[in-house]
Amino acid sequence: MNLPKKFEDRMMELLKEEFPLYKKTFEDTRYGGIRVNTLKISTEEFEKICPFEIRKIPWIPNGYFYNLSDQPAKHPYYYAGLYYIQEPSAMTPASILEIEEGDKVLDLCAAPGGKSTELAAKLNGTGILVTNDISNSRAKALLKNVELYGIRNAVITNEDSVKLKKFFPEFFDKILVDAPCSGEGMFRKDATIVKNWENQGVEYYSELQKEIILNAADMLKPGGMLLYSTCTFSPEENEATIEHLLNERPDFSIEEIPMKEGFATGRPEWINGREDLKRCVRLWPHKIEGEGHFLALLRKKKDSLIEATEDRYIGKKVKLPEEFYEFLKDINFDFDEDRFVLREDKIYYNPDVNIPDKGIRIIRGGFFLGEIKKKRFEPSQSFAMGLSKVDFNNIIDLDSKENDVIKYLKCETIELNKEHKNGWYLICVEGYPLGWGKVIGQTLKNKYQAGWRWL
């Protein structure tokens, strides 16, 4: 790869004797990574059934390297949401941010959703995840991944940080800001990023990041934690952004990040900055098996004068069509009926936390269960993906090695080899839900979401 001379000269200046080692990484093959979705399967179980060769990523508890010759996105387990394909270094921010069950969590710059899916797995169905992206097209990709990975407690928004701050002042326990950046750490992975770097430059992103991180800081509760990350090397976008936050919001401090093999400290000397910036972490492609990344973990000082407020969901029971309740007879877990919401014939299940429902662009508010069509209930794809095999009475379980599972994922009708009672079935691959089907005699009418079909 021909790197821009301006970039190469700057990296030589920063890295000095390490620069040849960094430059040599462009001759190496990049690393492929998958992260196991622990909402659906444990790492131990995944290792038993994984259909291709993997090895552990040392610094990610549920992360694995895979051979680039394999195609994990072309296996039914991917369509079941058992794993997310993600560059190994990019797994680090969500792994480091400690999430407790019941937390209110914000992923501010979330699309396409890799970090959000891990944050949701840590929440384990409790609390709330507000996952946001300013781009409408990218927010739609984020929606698909939230649904594919079986997340039931998410609200997906499409706003800028200035607008969100007005609606969520000091609201969140944890915030992840994977900020838009110049992408220097991903040059090896994607050569098109180099052109963006030449067009936009470091300065553009540096100013944008300073605005975003201050808005994020104002949405964090006292005592809360904020994880800032980028996939760039530029100190103006990294240490300088953190120093800007500390200067503007003196109630923040930098927390230690546990150092793993290959991790490097922040470099305050590159901006003539404060000594505690060394607590930040840099991931370099010549030191780990991954691309470039920067991370800073920050805590907001706890203010004991602020009183805790009641923020659990307070709703009123709505009258829903009988067809919906008839369908629920085959569901094997209890819903809190006060959290059902009916919007234009669509039924949602709200997270157990109050959030604003007007004034901000919400792509998806809560767990979408399905819709009423001509006096019948049609369950949604997201409803299927948010269930486990034991949650529904009627199951058809397909073998990942047989052709029927591919036919199902291609939205084709399947002829069954034995009689089933008529009605709705949760279609699984070896026990992991893929979607819905409706049986009539020995014919399975395919209800897999057309926009997700196997291509």
Side-chain angles (χ1 to χ4, degrees), residues 15-23 267 284 286-287:
L15 289 175
K16 297 183 171 56
E17 67 276 3
E18 288 187 50
F19 178 76
L21 293 174
Y22 164 70
K23 184 70 180 295
R267 302 296 293 267
W284 295 96
H286 58 285
K287 294 186 176 183

Side-chain angles (χ1 to χ4, degrees), residues 339-382:
R339 290 164 57 188
F340 286 131
V341 178
L342 181 64
R343 304 187 192 109
E344 298 178 350
D345 293 329
K346 293 181 170 62
I347 300 173
Y348 299 85
Y349 190 61
N350 270 353
D352 192 19
V353 174
N354 273 329
I355 63 160
D357 59 359
K358 293 180 181 177
I360 56 175
R361 289 191 295 270
I362 296 178
I363 301 292
R364 177 61 47 80
F367 187 27
F368 176 43
L369 302 179
E371 56 187 311
I372 304 299
K373 294 182 176 180
K374 298 179 181 178
K375 294 188 177 181
R376 69 180 189 275
F377 176 69
E378 291 269 347
S380 69
Q381 180 70 31
S382 62

Side-chain angles (χ1 to χ4, degrees), residues 126-140:
T126 67
I128 188 172
L129 172 66
V130 176
T131 178
N132 175 77
D133 203 89
I134 192 172
S135 162
N136 183 262
S137 60
R138 284 170 57 83
K140 290 175 181 175

Side-chain angles (χ1 to χ4, degrees), residues 213-429:
I213 199 169
L214 291 183
N215 290 331
D218 294 342
M219 288 187 272
L220 189 67
K221 279 184 179 180
M225 302 289 286
L226 186 154
L227 192 290
Y228 174 86
S229 66
T230 71
C231 58
T232 198
F233 302 125
S234 145
E236 293 87 351
E237 300 178 70
N238 294 325
E239 287 89 353
T241 301
I242 301 305
E243 186 163 58
H244 177 73
L245 169 69
L246 298 174
N247 289 338
E248 296 295 319
R249 301 290 187 272
D251 53 341
F252 275 79
S253 60
I254 308 174
E255 298 290 298
E256 295 279 359
I257 294 175
M259 297 297 284
K260 306 291 179 69
E261 185 177 353
F263 284 22
T265 63
R267 302 296 293 267
E269 68 273 20
W270 287 350
I271 61 163
N272 295 318
R274 46 195 287 173
E275 189 70 11
D276 55 355
L277 288 167
K278 287 184 177 178
R279 296 176 189 164
C280 301
V281 165
R282 284 179 168 270
L283 307 182
W284 295 96
H286 58 285
K287 294 186 176 183
I288 61 166
E289 294 178 295
E291 307 305 318
H293 237 76
F294 172 89
L295 305 102
L297 182 63
L298 301 127
R299 182 184 296 276
K300 191 173 192 176
K301 183 179 178 182
K302 188 171 180 62
D303 186 347
S304 59
L305 297 178
I306 293 182
E307 296 181 7
T309 57
E310 177 62 45
D311 53 34
R312 293 178 63 79
Y313 180 77
I314 304 169
K316 61 180 180 179
K317 190 172 181 178
V318 296
K319 183 173 176 58
L320 297 173
E322 286 303 316
E323 294 83 0
F324 173 64
Y325 288 109
E326 190 65 29
F327 184 85
L328 287 190
K329 290 179 181 178
D330 285 318
I331 297 286
N332 297 318
F333 63 78
D334 294 328
F335 286 102
D336 176 354
E337 293 194 15
D338 289 345
R339 290 164 57 188
F340 286 131
V341 178
L342 181 64
R343 304 187 192 109
E344 298 178 350
D345 293 329
K346 293 181 170 62
I347 300 173
Y348 299 85
Y349 190 61
N350 270 353
D352 192 19
V353 174
N354 273 329
I355 63 160
D357 59 359
K358 293 180 181 177
I360 56 175
R361 289 191 295 270
I362 296 178
I363 301 292
R364 177 61 47 80
F367 187 27
F368 176 43
L369 302 179
E371 56 187 311
I372 304 299
K373 294 182 176 180
K374 298 179 181 178
K375 294 188 177 181
R376 69 180 189 275
F377 176 69
E378 291 269 347
S380 69
Q381 180 70 31
S382 62
F383 196 178
M385 301 308 292
L387 298 175
S388 63
K389 181 180 179 179
V390 299
D391 291 332
F392 198 72
N393 288 338
N394 305 321
I395 299 291
I396 292 177
D397 211 359
L398 304 176
D399 189 321
S400 67
K401 301 179 183 65
E402 299 293 332
N403 191 48
D404 274 353
V405 72
I406 306 302
K407 288 179 68 176
Y408 176 76
L409 292 170
K410 288 183 175 180
C411 298
E412 297 175 8
T413 298
I414 297 173
E415 295 301 321
L416 304 170
N417 56 16
K418 64 178 182 179
E419 285 278 351
H420 291 70
K421 69 175 183 179
N422 291 349
W424 285 100
Y425 283 76
L426 184 64
I427 312 304
C428 300
V429 55

Side-chain angles (χ1 to χ4, degrees), residues 26 37 99 129 172 185 200 205 285 292 323 340 356 412 430 432:
F26 287 90
N37 179 12
I99 305 295
L129 172 66
F172 296 101
Q200 297 277 27
Y205 288 104
E323 294 83 0
F340 286 131
E412 297 175 8
E430 294 163 9
Y432 300 101

